[in-house]
């Protein structure tokens, strides 16, 4: 009985926007129904990118201060010996530091673009909602994602004594170039897909049209696939457990949403021809 209540409730909680029912069905438990009803406006998506850009921007400044001036951002010099702050003193340097700086810079560009898209490109319905737990999970992800780049790089205790800008030649390493190409392809493809999606609604009314175009004739959600490709590029540039975790989480989360979107399109548009949700021939 517990699972029969919780599992469908989790399904409702993980949906947002057009694929979320405006009034989720009753689950037979007042507590479960109350939890399922904790929603926030979908337009709060912009908070994800504001938080991510702020964290990543602060991290960029912090890294430059540590590497070049041996100073810890936001930390008084008298506190540098505190063991709690040890993590902030051991930063990647040299060649690894250069790639971390490139990775964080690219992520900052990505987050600012997503923020601008939310403000100026998309027009979310005033009635579109997402669950509060999904919102908090999204904020948490965009706090962790910038940190994953630093956590994945080899650490050094001489970060402040190594001039990372002497190692820019590492950007032209084949592995780094592959990562840069993946990031660029994902970045441009996602923006193109977002422009297509934004053009489907002319106002904030609850009306949707089926997206068309080369990418949307192949999969239902090419913008989700593009985001995963983008994160794969970062993981290739700065390989490590944390950046790989970001890719895995993104693929699982966006893959689930893509599947539900594909199912919604099939339900809404008779004869919907697209066979794949996110990855051609796979998903």
């Amino acid at each position: 009985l517990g699972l029969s209540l919780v599992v469908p409730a989790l399904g409702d909680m993980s949906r947002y926007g057009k694929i979320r029912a405006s009034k989720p069905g009753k689950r037979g438990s007042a507590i479960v129904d109350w939890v399922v009803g904790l929603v926030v406006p979908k337009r709060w998506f912009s908070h994800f990118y504001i938080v991510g850009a702020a964290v990543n921007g602060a991290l960029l400044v912090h890294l430059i201060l540590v590497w070049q001036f041996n100073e810890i951002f936001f930390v008084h010099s008298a506190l540098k010996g505190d063991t709690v702050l040890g993590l902030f003193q051991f930063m990647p340097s040299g060649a690894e530091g250069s790639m971390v700086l490139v990775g964080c810079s690219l992520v900052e560009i990505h987050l600012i673009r997503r923020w601008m898209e939310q403000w100026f490109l998309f027009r979310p319905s005033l009635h579109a909602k997402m669950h509060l737990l999904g919102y908090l999970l999204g904020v948490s992800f965009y706090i962790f994602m910038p940190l994953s780049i630093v956590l994945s790089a080899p650490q050094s205790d001489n970060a402040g004594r190594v001039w990372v800008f002497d190692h820019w030649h590492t950007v032209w390493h084949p592995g780094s170039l592959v990562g840069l190409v993946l990031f660029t392809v994902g970045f441009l493809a996602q923006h193109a897909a977002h422009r297509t999606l934004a053009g489907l609604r002319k106002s904030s009314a609850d009306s949707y049209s089926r997206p068309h175009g080369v990418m949307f004739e192949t999969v239902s959600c090419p913008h989700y696939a593009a985001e995963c490709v983008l994160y794969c590029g970062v993981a290739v540039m700065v390989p490590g457990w944390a950046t790989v975790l970001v890719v895995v989480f993104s693929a699982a989360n966006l893959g689930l949403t893509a599947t539900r979107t594909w199912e919604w399109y099939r339900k809404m548009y008779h004869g919907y021809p697209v066979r794949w949700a996110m990855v051609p021939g796979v998903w």
Side-chain angles (χ1 to χ4, degrees):
L1 177 60
L3 286 176
S4 67
L5 292 174
V6 173
V7 173
L10 289 175
D12 285 336
M13 291 161 59
S14 62
R15 290 181 170 86
Y16 57 83
K18 61 180 177 290
I19 61 175
R20 176 181 174 85
S22 57
K23 293 182 178 179
K26 298 295 183 181
R27 299 301 176 191
S29 167
I31 295 178
V32 173
D33 289 340
W34 178 78
V35 172
V36 171
L38 295 173
V39 297
V40 298
K42 184 177 179 286
R43 60 181 58 223
W44 283 16
F45 254 63
S46 60
H47 297 176
F48 298 162
Y49 313 115
I50 294 172
V51 169
V55 171
N56 192 71
L59 184 60
L60 274 169
V61 174
H62 168 75
L63 293 175
I64 292 172
L65 288 176
V66 169
W67 281 326
Q68 312 311 333
F69 306 107
N70 205 20
E71 291 291 337
I72 302 179
F73 193 35
F74 295 143
V75 178
H76 189 275
S77 59
L79 300 178
K80 289 184 182 179
D82 194 318
T83 55
V84 176
L85 301 172
L87 173 63
F88 297 98
Q89 291 176 284
F90 288 80
M91 287 296 178
S93 61
E96 294 82 7
S98 294
M99 292 316 304
V100 167
L101 198 60
V102 170
C104 286
S105 299
L106 292 175
V107 165
E108 187 72 7
I109 295 171
H110 165 64
L111 292 172
I112 292 175
R113 173 184 62 84
R114 294 292 290 116
W115 181 10
M116 293 297 99
E117 286 176 345
Q118 289 297 126
W119 275 95
F120 300 110
L121 189 61
F122 291 117
R123 288 176 286 270
S125 166
L126 296 176
H127 304 292
K129 306 292 183 182
M130 60 179 167
H131 195 270
L132 177 61
L133 293 182
Y135 170 77
L136 295 176
L137 180 62
V139 171
S140 300
F141 172 80
Y142 282 97
I143 291 174
F144 174 77
M145 190 262 288
L147 295 174
S148 71
I149 300 174
V150 173
L151 293 172
S152 292
Q155 305 297 298
S156 168
D157 58 357
N158 311 330
R161 292 182 286 279
V162 179
W163 186 251
V164 297
F165 297 104
D166 288 341
H167 296 268
W168 284 119
H169 63 274
T170 58
V171 176
W172 308 115
H173 184 276
S176 303
L177 286 176
V178 170
L180 186 60
V181 169
L182 287 173
F183 179 93
T184 303
V185 169
F187 183 94
L188 296 176
Q190 186 181 55
H191 181 63
H194 283 167
R195 289 182 66 87
T196 298
L197 291 172
L200 299 179
R201 184 191 282 125
K202 303 303 181 183
S203 68
S204 294
D206 293 324
S207 60
Y208 299 91
S209 302
R210 179 195 152 194
H212 293 276
V214 175
M215 291 188 291
F216 287 97
E217 300 302 329
T218 306
V219 295
S220 295
C221 299
H223 49 307
Y224 293 158
E227 182 141 355
C228 292
V229 170
L230 182 153
Y231 290 140
C232 282
V234 175
V236 169
M237 285 188 282
V238 189
W241 67 269
T243 49
V244 170
L245 183 61
V246 165
V247 173
V248 171
F249 175 82
S250 298
N253 179 52
L254 296 176
L256 175 62
T257 305
T259 299
R260 288 171 171 169
T261 301
W262 176 76
E263 293 171 348
W264 187 87
Y265 282 144
R266 285 173 61 87
K267 178 181 177 181
M268 293 295 296
Y269 305 112
H270 179 70
Y272 181 66
V274 180
R275 297 179 56 194
W276 308 104
M278 194 169 81
V279 182
V282 178
W283 197 333

